[in-house]
Amino acid sequence: MGGPADPPEGPEGAPGGGEDEYRSVVFDESFVRAARLQEFSAQERMADHAPAVRRRPPLRRGLSRQALVLVLLIAVAFGTAIYMGVRHPYQTPTARESVEPLRMTVIPLVPEGKVPGTADASYLYEHSPAAQFKSGAEGVPLPASRRTAHFSDSQVVAALSTAKDYIVRSALDPDVLTGREVRAVRVLLDPGQLDQFDQSFARPTADGRHAPTGWLVRFDPSRAELADRRVRVQGTLQAAETDSSTLEVTADHTFVYALRPAGADDKTEASLFTVRRELQFRFDRDDLRLHQAQLVVSYVQAGPLSCAEDSTHHLRPLLAGQTAKEGGPAGTDPYATGSATALCGSLATSAQPKV
């Protein structure tokens, strides 16, 4: 027998009494919820003489409906991402070939005598070969266009429209003609030619690659200014497919400008200055989409100029009453078809207004 201080022994000598044999059993919340028996209420037992307990339906184990829907959505999104990666609906852009640099030729045309002039610029136009020319952009109409084997009607029109915009901005914009603006022309060029364009204006060189006057028409602002902003123009645009990925547009236009000495008033005699430009543009599909062009050939005849003057950076016209000290090898008429072959030519008398 134990003393008063000793705890009573339970069955089979277990300390703490019989209840200690259940001490290891833990009745936590999950155990209680999992119980399949539920006691009826006193009212239920009195009314139906039902047994004291009833069985509860087993708990549904596993994921809830919301969780299943979420898992399904994630699986669908992941599968779609894999499918799109394997079969992408858009064509992967191909690496573009290097853009061909612009090849340019600028030929000064020297007058055979004094440059004719009068104070009335309209009179000069009316008595010159430019009498029937249209003014400004109206002189650069778009031709009727047709689709080619690999380019649609809209793509051909896009090429012609971009070429026209380049011609208008580079030869008719007064700010460009006076040397105040070049960006309006630059934004129309393919990015592959921008370095060449920028170098032409930063460090102009008569190397057939880097003359500003090969890119656009501009006069020396210290020498001449426009006597009439309505420049007369006539010429043609033609589009053709060179291969399955390239369109070419050929432009051939004659521009006639009425000029006066810089800072002169309206009473000062004006004279005409003629520029014949033959340009060749090239377009790939990116150019058509972005409204830009590759200018690959620029052939320019301009006069009256002097061969002694550098026409690389600006055109320095001979104005009314002036004569050239040096002439060229043969008379060249910029209104006639065909191209000059000399680096300096003579401006034919027939190309001058009759004053």
Side-chain angles (χ1 to χ4, degrees):
M1 294 181 62
D6 296 329
E9 295 183 0
E12 299 179 4
E19 63 182 8
D20 285 347
E21 69 176 301
Y22 303 103
R23 184 174 295 172
S24 61
V25 180
V26 178
F27 297 96
D28 57 7
E29 184 177 358
S30 63
F31 177 82
V32 174
R33 289 182 177 179
R36 296 179 178 273
L37 299 178
Q38 179 180 358
E39 183 179 0
F40 287 97
S41 66
Q43 185 176 359
E44 289 175 330
R45 291 198 301 271
M46 290 176 62
D48 298 332
H49 303 285
V53 296
R54 63 182 174 188
R55 290 186 175 274
R56 297 179 61 189
L59 290 176
R60 295 181 179 178
R61 296 187 178 273
L63 297 175
S64 66
R65 180 178 300 177
Q66 292 84 351
L68 286 173
V69 172
L70 180 60
V71 171
L72 181 60
L73 289 175
I74 293 175
V76 170
F78 185 71
T80 302
I82 295 177
Y83 176 81
M84 295 291 287
V86 174
R87 300 187 62 180
H88 201 283
Y90 304 103
Q91 295 182 354
T92 302
T94 57
R96 297 182 65 186
E97 297 180 0
S98 58
V99 177
E100 182 178 341
L102 170 61
R103 307 186 307 275
M104 59 183 70
T105 304
V106 180
I107 300 178
L109 302 180
V110 182
E112 297 180 353
K114 287 185 178 181
V115 177
T118 179
D120 186 358
S122 298
Y123 180 89
L124 291 174
Y125 282 128
E126 292 171 1
H127 293 80
S128 75
Q132 303 302 318
F133 287 13
K134 294 184 178 180
S135 299
E138 293 183 359
V140 193
L142 293 180
S145 60
R146 295 182 180 178
R147 62 175 302 143
T148 65
H150 299 92
F151 292 91
S152 66
D153 290 334
S154 61
Q155 288 175 316
V156 174
V157 170
L160 291 168
S161 298
T162 303
K164 174 179 177 176
D165 286 347
Y166 187 94
I167 293 166
V168 170
R169 295 188 191 185
S170 64
L172 297 176
D173 186 336
D175 289 335
V176 171
L177 295 176
T178 55
R180 295 193 299 266
E181 172 69 56
V182 297
R183 185 179 181 278
V185 177
R186 187 182 188 273
V187 296
L188 292 175
L189 289 171
D190 184 286
Q193 291 188 312
L194 295 182
D195 287 343
Q196 183 187 7
F197 182 88
D198 293 339
Q199 185 177 346
S200 298
F201 289 86
R203 297 181 298 278
T205 308
D207 60 356
R209 292 288 190 272
H210 300 96
T213 49
W215 297 97
L216 48 81
V217 177
R218 68 173 181 175
F219 303 107
D220 185 346
S222 66
R223 175 169 297 191
E225 62 184 30
L226 291 174
D228 187 344
R229 296 170 68 93
R230 297 169 299 174
V231 180
R232 305 306 195 267
V233 189
Q234 181 171 282
T236 60
L237 283 169
Q238 293 181 340
E241 177 183 316
T242 57
D243 56 50
S244 61
S245 60
T246 309
L247 274 176
E248 283 191 354
V249 173
T250 302
D252 186 353
H253 291 85
T254 300
F255 304 84
V256 186
Y257 307 86
L259 302 177
R260 283 195 180 95
D265 57 31
D266 294 344
K267 297 180 180 180
T268 304
E269 284 191 340
S271 58
L272 296 185
F273 188 89
T274 304
V275 176
R276 169 84 174 272
R277 296 177 86 199
E278 298 177 40
L279 306 178
Q280 181 179 327
F281 300 92
R282 188 170 295 164
F283 301 86
D284 59 24
R285 285 182 167 78
D286 285 338
D287 292 325
L288 296 174
R289 178 174 55 87
L290 298 174
H291 192 65
Q292 60 191 21
Q294 304 171 38
L295 180 60
V296 294
V297 176
S298 173
Y299 188 89
V300 180
Q301 306 169 51
L305 289 171
S306 173
C307 285
E309 296 277 6
D310 181 9
S311 300
T312 301
H313 197 199
H314 292 94
L315 297 175
R316 296 179 169 87
L318 294 172
L319 302 174
Q322 295 181 339
T323 58
K325 295 181 179 179
E326 298 181 9
T332 301
D333 186 349
Y335 293 93
T337 58
S339 300
T341 57
L343 295 180
C344 186
S346 293
L347 183 63
T349 303
S350 60
Q352 296 278 36
K354 303 297 187 295
V355 179

